[in-house]
Short mmCIF file of all heavy atoms in Angstrom, two decimals:
data_model
loop_
_atom_site.label_atom_id
_atom_site.label_comp_id
_atom_site.label_asym_id
_atom_site.label_seq_id
_atom_site.Cartn_x
_atom_site.Cartn_y
_atom_site.Cartn_z
N TYR A 314 -41.59 -5.34 20.40
CA TYR A 314 -42.98 -5.71 20.72
C TYR A 314 -43.52 -4.81 21.84
O TYR A 314 -44.65 -4.30 21.76
CB TYR A 314 -43.00 -7.18 21.13
CG TYR A 314 -44.32 -7.72 21.58
CD1 TYR A 314 -45.41 -7.83 20.70
CD2 TYR A 314 -44.49 -8.15 22.90
CE1 TYR A 314 -46.63 -8.35 21.14
CE2 TYR A 314 -45.70 -8.67 23.33
CZ TYR A 314 -46.76 -8.76 22.45
OH TYR A 314 -47.97 -9.28 22.88
N LEU A 315 -42.71 -4.59 22.88
CA LEU A 315 -43.15 -3.73 23.97
C LEU A 315 -43.19 -2.27 23.53
O LEU A 315 -44.09 -1.52 23.93
CB LEU A 315 -42.21 -3.89 25.16
CG LEU A 315 -42.19 -5.27 25.83
CD1 LEU A 315 -41.22 -5.29 27.00
CD2 LEU A 315 -43.58 -5.68 26.30
N ASP A 316 -42.21 -1.84 22.73
CA ASP A 316 -42.18 -0.46 22.25
C ASP A 316 -43.40 -0.11 21.40
O ASP A 316 -43.77 1.06 21.28
CB ASP A 316 -40.90 -0.20 21.44
CG ASP A 316 -39.69 0.05 22.32
OD1 ASP A 316 -39.90 0.45 23.49
OD2 ASP A 316 -38.56 -0.12 21.84
N HIS A 317 -44.01 -1.12 20.78
CA HIS A 317 -45.16 -0.89 19.89
C HIS A 317 -46.46 -1.38 20.52
O HIS A 317 -47.37 -1.86 19.83
CB HIS A 317 -44.92 -1.56 18.54
CG HIS A 317 -43.85 -0.89 17.73
ND1 HIS A 317 -42.51 -1.18 17.90
CD2 HIS A 317 -43.91 0.08 16.78
CE1 HIS A 317 -41.80 -0.43 17.08
NE2 HIS A 317 -42.61 0.35 16.40
N GLY A 318 -46.54 -1.20 21.84
CA GLY A 318 -47.79 -1.47 22.53
C GLY A 318 -48.23 -2.92 22.52
O GLY A 318 -49.43 -3.21 22.58
N GLN A 319 -47.26 -3.84 22.43
CA GLN A 319 -47.54 -5.28 22.38
C GLN A 319 -48.47 -5.63 21.21
O GLN A 319 -49.32 -6.51 21.32
CB GLN A 319 -48.12 -5.76 23.72
CG GLN A 319 -47.17 -5.50 24.90
CD GLN A 319 -47.66 -6.05 26.21
OE1 GLN A 319 -48.01 -7.23 26.28
NE2 GLN A 319 -47.69 -5.23 27.25
N ARG A 320 -48.24 -4.93 20.10
CA ARG A 320 -48.99 -5.21 18.87
C ARG A 320 -48.08 -6.00 17.93
O ARG A 320 -47.03 -5.51 17.49
CB ARG A 320 -49.40 -3.90 18.20
CG ARG A 320 -50.48 -3.11 18.94
CD ARG A 320 -51.85 -3.71 18.66
NE ARG A 320 -52.14 -3.73 17.22
CZ ARG A 320 -52.69 -2.69 16.58
NH1 ARG A 320 -52.99 -1.57 17.22
NH2 ARG A 320 -52.93 -2.78 15.28
N LEU A 321 -48.47 -7.23 17.61
CA LEU A 321 -47.65 -8.08 16.74
C LEU A 321 -47.45 -7.44 15.37
O LEU A 321 -46.34 -7.46 14.82
CB LEU A 321 -48.33 -9.45 16.57
CG LEU A 321 -48.24 -10.42 17.74
CD1 LEU A 321 -49.12 -11.63 17.46
CD2 LEU A 321 -46.80 -10.85 17.97
N ASP A 322 -48.52 -6.87 14.79
CA ASP A 322 -48.42 -6.31 13.45
C ASP A 322 -47.47 -5.13 13.40
O ASP A 322 -46.65 -5.00 12.47
CB ASP A 322 -49.80 -5.92 12.92
CG ASP A 322 -50.53 -4.95 13.84
OD1 ASP A 322 -50.15 -4.84 15.04
OD2 ASP A 322 -51.50 -4.30 13.38
N GLN A 323 -47.55 -4.25 14.40
CA GLN A 323 -46.67 -3.07 14.40
C GLN A 323 -45.22 -3.46 14.67
O GLN A 323 -44.29 -2.89 14.07
CB GLN A 323 -47.16 -2.06 15.44
CG GLN A 323 -48.50 -1.43 15.07
CD GLN A 323 -48.90 -0.34 16.04
OE1 GLN A 323 -48.10 0.12 16.85
NE2 GLN A 323 -50.16 0.08 15.96
N ALA A 324 -45.00 -4.40 15.59
CA ALA A 324 -43.64 -4.86 15.85
C ALA A 324 -43.05 -5.53 14.61
O ALA A 324 -41.88 -5.31 14.26
CB ALA A 324 -43.62 -5.83 17.02
N ALA A 325 -43.85 -6.33 13.92
CA ALA A 325 -43.39 -7.01 12.70
C ALA A 325 -43.02 -6.00 11.63
O ALA A 325 -42.01 -6.15 10.93
CB ALA A 325 -44.47 -7.96 12.19
N SER A 326 -43.84 -4.95 11.49
CA SER A 326 -43.56 -3.92 10.50
C SER A 326 -42.25 -3.20 10.82
O SER A 326 -41.44 -2.93 9.92
CB SER A 326 -44.72 -2.93 10.45
OG SER A 326 -44.46 -1.88 9.55
N ALA A 327 -42.04 -2.89 12.09
CA ALA A 327 -40.81 -2.19 12.49
C ALA A 327 -39.58 -3.06 12.26
O ALA A 327 -38.50 -2.55 11.93
CB ALA A 327 -40.89 -1.79 13.96
N LEU A 328 -39.73 -4.38 12.42
CA LEU A 328 -38.60 -5.30 12.26
C LEU A 328 -38.48 -5.86 10.85
O LEU A 328 -37.53 -6.59 10.55
CB LEU A 328 -38.75 -6.47 13.25
CG LEU A 328 -38.67 -6.11 14.73
CD1 LEU A 328 -39.12 -7.28 15.59
CD2 LEU A 328 -37.26 -5.67 15.11
N HIS A 329 -39.46 -5.53 9.99
CA HIS A 329 -39.48 -6.01 8.60
C HIS A 329 -39.54 -7.54 8.53
O HIS A 329 -38.82 -8.18 7.76
CB HIS A 329 -38.26 -5.49 7.82
CG HIS A 329 -38.10 -3.99 7.89
ND1 HIS A 329 -38.97 -3.12 7.26
CD2 HIS A 329 -37.20 -3.22 8.54
CE1 HIS A 329 -38.58 -1.87 7.50
NE2 HIS A 329 -37.51 -1.91 8.28
N VAL A 330 -40.39 -8.11 9.39
CA VAL A 330 -40.60 -9.56 9.39
C VAL A 330 -42.11 -9.83 9.43
O VAL A 330 -42.92 -8.92 9.59
CB VAL A 330 -39.91 -10.25 10.59
CG1 VAL A 330 -38.41 -10.04 10.55
CG2 VAL A 330 -40.48 -9.74 11.91
N HIS A 331 -42.50 -11.09 9.30
CA HIS A 331 -43.91 -11.49 9.37
C HIS A 331 -44.35 -11.54 10.84
O HIS A 331 -43.55 -11.89 11.72
CB HIS A 331 -44.10 -12.87 8.72
CG HIS A 331 -45.53 -13.21 8.45
ND1 HIS A 331 -46.35 -13.76 9.42
CD2 HIS A 331 -46.28 -13.08 7.33
CE1 HIS A 331 -47.55 -13.95 8.92
NE2 HIS A 331 -47.54 -13.56 7.64
N PRO A 332 -45.61 -11.20 11.14
CA PRO A 332 -46.09 -11.30 12.53
C PRO A 332 -45.87 -12.68 13.15
O PRO A 332 -45.63 -12.78 14.37
CB PRO A 332 -47.58 -10.97 12.41
CG PRO A 332 -47.66 -10.06 11.22
CD PRO A 332 -46.62 -10.58 10.27
N ASN A 333 -45.95 -13.74 12.34
CA ASN A 333 -45.71 -15.08 12.89
C ASN A 333 -44.28 -15.23 13.38
O ASN A 333 -44.00 -15.99 14.31
CB ASN A 333 -46.01 -16.14 11.84
CG ASN A 333 -47.50 -16.33 11.64
OD1 ASN A 333 -48.29 -15.95 12.49
ND2 ASN A 333 -47.89 -16.91 10.51
N THR A 334 -43.35 -14.51 12.73
CA THR A 334 -41.95 -14.55 13.17
C THR A 334 -41.81 -13.90 14.54
O THR A 334 -41.08 -14.41 15.41
CB THR A 334 -41.05 -13.83 12.15
OG1 THR A 334 -41.18 -14.45 10.87
CG2 THR A 334 -39.59 -13.87 12.57
N VAL A 335 -42.52 -12.79 14.72
CA VAL A 335 -42.50 -12.13 16.03
C VAL A 335 -43.08 -13.07 17.08
O VAL A 335 -42.50 -13.23 18.18
CB VAL A 335 -43.30 -10.81 15.99
CG1 VAL A 335 -43.36 -10.19 17.39
CG2 VAL A 335 -42.67 -9.84 15.02
N ARG A 336 -44.19 -13.71 16.78
CA ARG A 336 -44.83 -14.62 17.71
C ARG A 336 -43.88 -15.78 18.08
O ARG A 336 -43.76 -16.16 19.25
CB ARG A 336 -46.13 -15.17 17.10
CG ARG A 336 -46.94 -16.05 18.04
CD ARG A 336 -48.21 -16.55 17.39
NE ARG A 336 -49.20 -15.49 17.22
CZ ARG A 336 -49.54 -14.93 16.06
NH1 ARG A 336 -48.94 -15.34 14.94
NH2 ARG A 336 -50.45 -14.01 16.01
N TYR A 337 -43.20 -16.32 17.08
CA TYR A 337 -42.26 -17.43 17.31
C TYR A 337 -41.11 -16.98 18.22
O TYR A 337 -40.75 -17.69 19.18
CB TYR A 337 -41.72 -17.94 15.99
CG TYR A 337 -40.49 -18.81 16.12
CD1 TYR A 337 -40.59 -20.12 16.60
CD2 TYR A 337 -39.22 -18.31 15.81
CE1 TYR A 337 -39.46 -20.90 16.76
CE2 TYR A 337 -38.09 -19.09 15.96
CZ TYR A 337 -38.21 -20.38 16.44
OH TYR A 337 -37.09 -21.16 16.60
N ARG A 338 -40.56 -15.82 17.95
CA ARG A 338 -39.42 -15.36 18.74
C ARG A 338 -39.83 -15.07 20.19
O ARG A 338 -39.05 -15.33 21.12
CB ARG A 338 -38.81 -14.10 18.11
CG ARG A 338 -38.11 -14.37 16.79
CD ARG A 338 -37.62 -13.07 16.17
NE ARG A 338 -36.97 -13.28 14.88
CZ ARG A 338 -36.57 -12.28 14.08
NH1 ARG A 338 -36.74 -11.02 14.47
NH2 ARG A 338 -36.00 -12.54 12.93
N LEU A 339 -41.02 -14.54 20.39
CA LEU A 339 -41.48 -14.29 21.75
C LEU A 339 -41.64 -15.61 22.52
O LEU A 339 -41.30 -15.70 23.71
CB LEU A 339 -42.81 -13.53 21.73
CG LEU A 339 -42.75 -12.09 21.20
CD1 LEU A 339 -44.16 -11.49 21.12
CD2 LEU A 339 -41.85 -11.22 22.06
N ARG A 340 -42.15 -16.62 21.83
CA ARG A 340 -42.29 -17.93 22.47
C ARG A 340 -40.93 -18.52 22.81
O ARG A 340 -40.74 -19.07 23.90
CB ARG A 340 -43.08 -18.87 21.55
CG ARG A 340 -43.39 -20.21 22.24
CD ARG A 340 -44.27 -21.11 21.38
NE ARG A 340 -43.56 -21.60 20.20
CZ ARG A 340 -43.81 -21.20 18.96
NH1 ARG A 340 -44.75 -20.30 18.71
NH2 ARG A 340 -43.12 -21.71 17.95
N ARG A 341 -39.98 -18.38 21.88
CA ARG A 341 -38.63 -18.92 22.15
C ARG A 341 -37.96 -18.18 23.31
O ARG A 341 -37.25 -18.78 24.11
CB ARG A 341 -37.77 -18.81 20.89
CG ARG A 341 -38.15 -19.76 19.80
CD ARG A 341 -37.79 -21.22 20.17
NE ARG A 341 -36.35 -21.40 20.23
CZ ARG A 341 -35.71 -21.93 21.26
NH1 ARG A 341 -36.37 -22.30 22.35
NH2 ARG A 341 -34.40 -22.09 21.22
N LEU A 342 -38.20 -16.86 23.41
CA LEU A 342 -37.63 -16.10 24.53
C LEU A 342 -38.17 -16.62 25.85
O LEU A 342 -37.42 -16.76 26.83
CB LEU A 342 -37.96 -14.61 24.37
CG LEU A 342 -37.42 -13.69 25.47
CD1 LEU A 342 -35.90 -13.65 25.44
CD2 LEU A 342 -37.97 -12.27 25.33
N GLN A 343 -39.46 -16.90 25.89
CA GLN A 343 -40.05 -17.48 27.10
C GLN A 343 -39.43 -18.81 27.45
O GLN A 343 -39.14 -19.10 28.62
CB GLN A 343 -41.56 -17.64 26.92
CG GLN A 343 -42.38 -16.40 27.24
CD GLN A 343 -43.86 -16.71 27.26
OE1 GLN A 343 -44.46 -16.95 26.22
NE2 GLN A 343 -44.44 -16.70 28.43
N GLU A 344 -39.19 -19.64 26.43
CA GLU A 344 -38.61 -20.96 26.66
C GLU A 344 -37.18 -20.85 27.18
O GLU A 344 -36.76 -21.61 28.07
CB GLU A 344 -38.64 -21.78 25.37
CG GLU A 344 -40.05 -22.14 24.92
CD GLU A 344 -40.06 -22.75 23.52
OE1 GLU A 344 -38.97 -22.81 22.90
OE2 GLU A 344 -41.13 -23.16 23.05
N VAL A 345 -36.41 -19.93 26.62
CA VAL A 345 -34.99 -19.79 27.00
C VAL A 345 -34.84 -19.18 28.39
O VAL A 345 -33.97 -19.59 29.17
CB VAL A 345 -34.25 -18.93 25.96
CG1 VAL A 345 -32.83 -18.60 26.44
CG2 VAL A 345 -34.18 -19.66 24.62
N THR A 346 -35.68 -18.21 28.72
CA THR A 346 -35.50 -17.45 29.97
C THR A 346 -36.48 -17.84 31.07
O THR A 346 -36.23 -17.53 32.24
CB THR A 346 -35.66 -15.95 29.70
OG1 THR A 346 -37.01 -15.69 29.26
CG2 THR A 346 -34.68 -15.47 28.65
N GLY A 347 -37.59 -18.46 30.70
CA GLY A 347 -38.63 -18.71 31.70
C GLY A 347 -39.42 -17.47 32.03
O GLY A 347 -40.14 -17.43 33.04
N LEU A 348 -39.29 -16.43 31.20
CA LEU A 348 -39.98 -15.16 31.43
C LEU A 348 -41.49 -15.36 31.32
O LEU A 348 -41.98 -15.82 30.28
CB LEU A 348 -39.50 -14.13 30.40
CG LEU A 348 -39.89 -12.67 30.62
CD1 LEU A 348 -39.21 -12.11 31.86
CD2 LEU A 348 -39.49 -11.85 29.39
N PRO A 349 -42.27 -15.00 32.34
CA PRO A 349 -43.73 -15.18 32.27
C PRO A 349 -44.34 -14.12 31.36
O PRO A 349 -43.70 -13.13 31.02
CB PRO A 349 -44.18 -14.98 33.72
CG PRO A 349 -43.14 -14.09 34.31
CD PRO A 349 -41.84 -14.46 33.64
N PRO A 350 -45.60 -14.30 30.94
CA PRO A 350 -46.27 -13.29 30.12
C PRO A 350 -46.29 -11.94 30.83
O PRO A 350 -46.40 -11.88 32.06
CB PRO A 350 -47.69 -13.86 29.96
CG PRO A 350 -47.54 -15.33 30.17
CD PRO A 350 -46.45 -15.49 31.18
N VAL A 351 -46.18 -10.88 30.06
CA VAL A 351 -46.15 -9.53 30.61
C VAL A 351 -47.58 -9.07 30.85
O VAL A 351 -48.41 -9.07 29.94
CB VAL A 351 -45.43 -8.56 29.65
CG1 VAL A 351 -45.47 -7.14 30.20
CG2 VAL A 351 -43.99 -9.01 29.42
N GLU A 352 -47.85 -8.63 32.08
CA GLU A 352 -49.19 -8.20 32.44
C GLU A 352 -49.11 -6.89 33.24
O GLU A 352 -48.42 -6.83 34.25
CB GLU A 352 -49.91 -9.26 33.26
CG GLU A 352 -50.12 -10.58 32.53
CD GLU A 352 -50.80 -11.62 33.40
OE1 GLU A 352 -51.00 -11.33 34.60
OE2 GLU A 352 -51.11 -12.72 32.88
N GLY A 353 -49.83 -5.89 32.78
CA GLY A 353 -49.88 -4.62 33.51
C GLY A 353 -48.74 -3.69 33.16
O GLY A 353 -47.71 -4.08 32.60
N VAL A 354 -48.95 -2.41 33.51
CA VAL A 354 -47.99 -1.36 33.14
C VAL A 354 -46.65 -1.55 33.85
O VAL A 354 -45.58 -1.49 33.22
CB VAL A 354 -48.57 0.03 33.48
CG1 VAL A 354 -47.52 1.11 33.23
CG2 VAL A 354 -49.82 0.30 32.66
N LEU A 355 -46.66 -1.79 35.15
CA LEU A 355 -45.41 -1.92 35.89
C LEU A 355 -44.61 -3.13 35.44
O LEU A 355 -43.37 -3.07 35.34
CB LEU A 355 -45.69 -1.99 37.39
CG LEU A 355 -46.25 -0.71 38.03
CD1 LEU A 355 -46.50 -0.91 39.51
CD2 LEU A 355 -45.29 0.46 37.81
N ASP A 356 -45.29 -4.21 35.13
CA ASP A 356 -44.61 -5.40 34.64
C ASP A 356 -43.98 -5.13 33.27
O ASP A 356 -42.87 -5.59 32.98
CB ASP A 356 -45.59 -6.57 34.55
CG ASP A 356 -44.87 -7.92 34.51
OD1 ASP A 356 -43.76 -8.01 35.05
OD2 ASP A 356 -45.42 -8.86 33.93
N THR A 357 -44.70 -4.38 32.44
CA THR A 357 -44.16 -4.01 31.13
C THR A 357 -42.89 -3.20 31.27
O THR A 357 -41.89 -3.44 30.58
CB THR A 357 -45.21 -3.21 30.34
OG1 THR A 357 -46.38 -4.00 30.16
CG2 THR A 357 -44.67 -2.79 28.98
N VAL A 358 -42.91 -2.21 32.17
CA VAL A 358 -41.72 -1.37 32.40
C VAL A 358 -40.56 -2.23 32.90
O VAL A 358 -39.41 -2.07 32.46
CB VAL A 358 -42.03 -0.25 33.40
CG1 VAL A 358 -40.75 0.48 33.82
CG2 VAL A 358 -43.03 0.73 32.82
#
Side-chain angles (χ1 to χ4, degrees):
Y314 176 66
L315 295 180
D316 280 338
H317 290 84
Q319 301 185 51
R320 290 280 303 273
L321 285 172
D322 56 342
Q323 292 185 13
S326 177
L328 295 168
H329 307 290
V330 298
H331 193 276
N333 285 341
T334 302
V335 176
R336 185 180 289 108
Y337 164 74
R338 290 176 182 173
L339 293 176
R340 186 175 69 251
R341 288 290 293 128
L342 180 67
Q343 275 189 289
E344 293 170 356
V345 172
T346 64
L348 191 67
V351 177
E352 298 178 354
V354 174
L355 293 180
D356 199 28
T357 300
V358 171

